């Protein structure tokens, strides 16, 4: 499968910014604090939800990296195996780590959802239930087609 994400680094004014594309109309934007600005707040329990059409592979890579996390606020939602994650059509991560070193970079809960999750508002774009591949259909691109910073200066 092609890489699901791409990133671009640019600037918004003087602020360095990195936009990580995660899918069609899904991205996370990371902005550096400028000198004199207050530090980034500590993790307070908020989270982001992301959707993937390569759910099992993303789960396995996350599990192998030791990143799958069971949030104690939801004891009925366990993700100890792929079967558990598939049953819920989701799993959770808490730590953002450097993929090369494993160093913890930031803590932010990610709820990674399958496109089969009931909360996915674009389920009508999914191939019929009988099709094994669960390919996205219609004009849903599976790879980034446009730059993340169309009007921004590149670094």
């Amino acid at each position: 499968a092609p890489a699901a994400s791409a990133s671009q680094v640019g600037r918004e004014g003087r602020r360095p910014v990195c936009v990580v594309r995660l899918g069609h109309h899904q991205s996370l934007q990371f902005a550096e604090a400028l000198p004199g600005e207050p530090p980034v707040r500590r993790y307070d329990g908020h989270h982001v939800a992301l959707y993937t059409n390569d759910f099992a592979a993303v789960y396995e890579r996350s599990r192998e990296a030791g990143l799958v996390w069971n949030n104690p606020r939801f004891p009925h939602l366990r993700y100890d195996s792929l079967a558990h994650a598939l049953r819920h059509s989701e799993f959770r991560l808490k730590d953002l780590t450097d993929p090369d070193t494993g160093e913890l970079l930031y803590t932010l809960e990610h709820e990674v959802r399958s496109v089969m999750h009931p909360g996915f508002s674009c389920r009508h774009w999914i191939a019929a239930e009988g099709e094994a591949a669960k390919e996205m259909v219609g004009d849903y691109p599976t790879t980034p087609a446009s730059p993340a910073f169309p009007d921004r200066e590149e670094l």
Side-chain angles (χ1 to χ4, degrees), residues 57-152:
V58 172
Y59 174 85
E60 290 297 345
R61 285 194 307 270
S62 299
R63 184 189 56 75
E64 288 168 9
L67 298 173
V68 174
W69 179 62
N70 293 311
N71 187 327
R73 291 183 302 158
F74 307 108
H76 61 290
L77 296 174
R78 305 283 304 171
Y79 313 110
D80 299 321
S81 69
L82 177 58
H84 288 128
L86 287 169
R87 181 176 323 123
H88 302 301
S89 295
E90 69 180 46
F91 66 95
R92 294 172 187 261
L93 312 171
K94 187 179 65 157
D95 295 329
L96 294 173
T97 60
D98 182 305
D100 295 324
T101 66
E103 174 191 2
L104 176 64
L105 302 174
Y106 189 66
T107 299
L108 173 64
E109 183 178 348
H110 290 62
E111 182 179 343
V112 181
R113 293 177 170 180
S114 161
V115 293
M116 300 309 292
H117 190 281
F120 185 51
S121 63
C122 301
R123 291 187 68 180
H124 62 280
W125 286 346
I126 300 176
E129 186 67 29
E131 296 179 32
K134 299 287 186 246
E135 295 288 329
M136 300 307 286
V137 297
D139 36 328
Y140 185 98
T142 57
T143 58
S146 61
F149 289 104
D151 301 319
R152 298 181 185 151

Side-chain angles (χ1 to χ4, degrees), residues 44-67:
D44 63 3
H46 61 280
H47 74 282
V48 296
L50 310 170
Y51 292 90
T52 179
N53 60 339
D54 198 11
F55 183 78
V58 172
Y59 174 85
E60 290 297 345
R61 285 194 307 270
S62 299
R63 184 189 56 75
E64 288 168 9
L67 298 173

